Amino acid sequence: EADIYQTPRYLVIGTGKKITLECSQTMGHDKMYWYQQDPGMELHLIHYSYGVNSTEKGDLSSESTVSRIRTEHFPLTLESARPSHTSQYLCASSELGPANFGPGTRLLVL
Amino acid sequence: KNQVEQSPQSLIILEGKNCTLQCNYTVSPFSNLRWYKQDTGRGPVSLTIMTFSENTKSNGRYTATLDADTKQSSLHITASQLSDSASYICVVSDRGSTLGRLYFGRGTQLTVWP
């Protein structure tokens, strides 16, 4: 079992609220990723990081932001949630092997 | 354009039967191909990873094959169990950047009936 954690697992929130999705890994991996996945659809990369103080936007345009102050921590923030942000958000980390995924956060914006 | 296509989109089989899932890709330059299993509401879990020089890789009842010339891979599940019901995702990594970008298929939704 991969040591990568996400909180919260489920979140229901109103439009306009600011939220932060947490992701932590204990494997010391430099590379970390955030993916967005709608039901029955493929994963889309929204943010990634090579290491501390390194963040880049992914393929899918996202209104979220990320930070990487510590190796083990890669939080994702939505400044003002909208119903279009309703989705599952998956965090992952990797070194040379396959990416290890967290359990995901299911977000519902009303 | 780098793409990963999986077939079938969904599959229903009876417990104990075998099945094969397909993955075709156009990712270049190719680095490796991975199969993941994703249970509903969970994150994907890695089953196998294969590089260019590997033709087959097994993990228990799961056997993956890779033909790098035709850019095709398959995942064979032997003696299926109810717990095999999940989405199986093919992921291809390129080596055109330091990141090793991952390209995801949409997955095959497998349902195993008793």
Side-chain angles (χ1 to χ4, degrees):
Chain A
E1 193 78 15
D3 295 322
I4 181 164
Y5 309 98
Q6 289 185 244
T7 57
R9 290 294 316 280
Y10 304 93
L11 180 62
V12 181
I13 200 165
T15 297
K17 298 293 185 182
K18 177 180 178 179
I19 58 172
T20 296
L21 308 185
E22 301 288 350
C23 175
S24 297
Q25 51 99 0
T26 59
M27 296 165 286
H29 289 168
D30 286 329
K31 298 175 185 175
M32 294 190 74
Y33 317 80
W34 275 103
Y35 291 89
Q36 185 174 341
Q37 184 183 32
D38 293 324
M41 303 298 287
E42 65 266 44
L43 281 73
H44 291 286
L45 181 68
I46 52 176
H47 295 283
Y48 60 94
S49 169
Y50 292 119
V52 172
N53 294 326
S54 155
T55 62
E56 301 286 345
K57 288 189 177 295
D59 302 317
L60 184 67
S61 175
S62 173
E63 294 161 343
S64 58
T65 59
V66 292
S67 62
R68 192 86 183 277
I69 300 173
R70 304 199 314 266
T71 298
E72 63 271 22
H73 197 211
F74 192 39
L76 181 144
T77 299
L78 278 166
E79 291 293 333
S80 179
R82 297 207 307 251
S84 61
H85 295 140
T86 295
S87 188
Q88 176 168 246
Y89 293 84
L90 288 160
C91 179
S93 72
S94 72
E95 281 299 339
L96 299 177
N100 299 303
F101 284 86
T105 294
R106 287 202 161 187
L107 174 64
L108 173 60
V109 183
L110 302 176
Chain B
K1 180 180 178 183
N2 289 323
Q3 287 186 314
V4 179
E5 300 288 341
Q6 290 188 243
S7 62
Q9 184 176 351
S10 61
L11 181 64
I12 299 174
I13 62 173
L14 295 177
E15 186 178 14
K17 298 296 184 182
N18 304 334
C19 67
T20 300
L21 314 180
Q22 300 291 342
C23 174
N24 298 334
Y25 62 92
T26 59
V27 176
S28 180
F30 174 85
S31 176
N32 58 71
L33 184 146
R34 317 162 196 215
W35 282 94
Y36 284 85
K37 177 186 179 186
Q38 185 177 23
D39 293 315
T40 301
R42 307 285 298 182
V45 175
S46 177
L47 295 176
T48 63
I49 180 170
M50 289 182 293
T51 59
F52 185 88
S53 59
E54 296 176 294
N55 300 118
T56 185
K57 184 72 71 76
S58 290
N59 178 1
R61 295 180 296 104
Y62 302 103
T63 299
T65 64
L66 173 65
D67 186 333
D69 292 329
T70 62
K71 297 186 177 181
Q72 295 179 326
S73 176
S74 66
L75 179 69
H76 186 73
I77 304 175
T78 304
S80 62
Q81 301 175 359
L82 299 179
S83 59
D84 292 333
S85 295
S87 179
Y88 291 83
I89 304 171
C90 177
V91 183
V92 181
S93 177
D94 72 14
R95 51 182 173 86
S97 66
T98 304
L99 179 67
R101 181 67 58 87
L102 302 180
Y103 297 90
F104 289 81
R106 291 192 174 187
T108 293
Q109 184 63 48
L110 175 66
T111 303
V112 181
W113 282 4

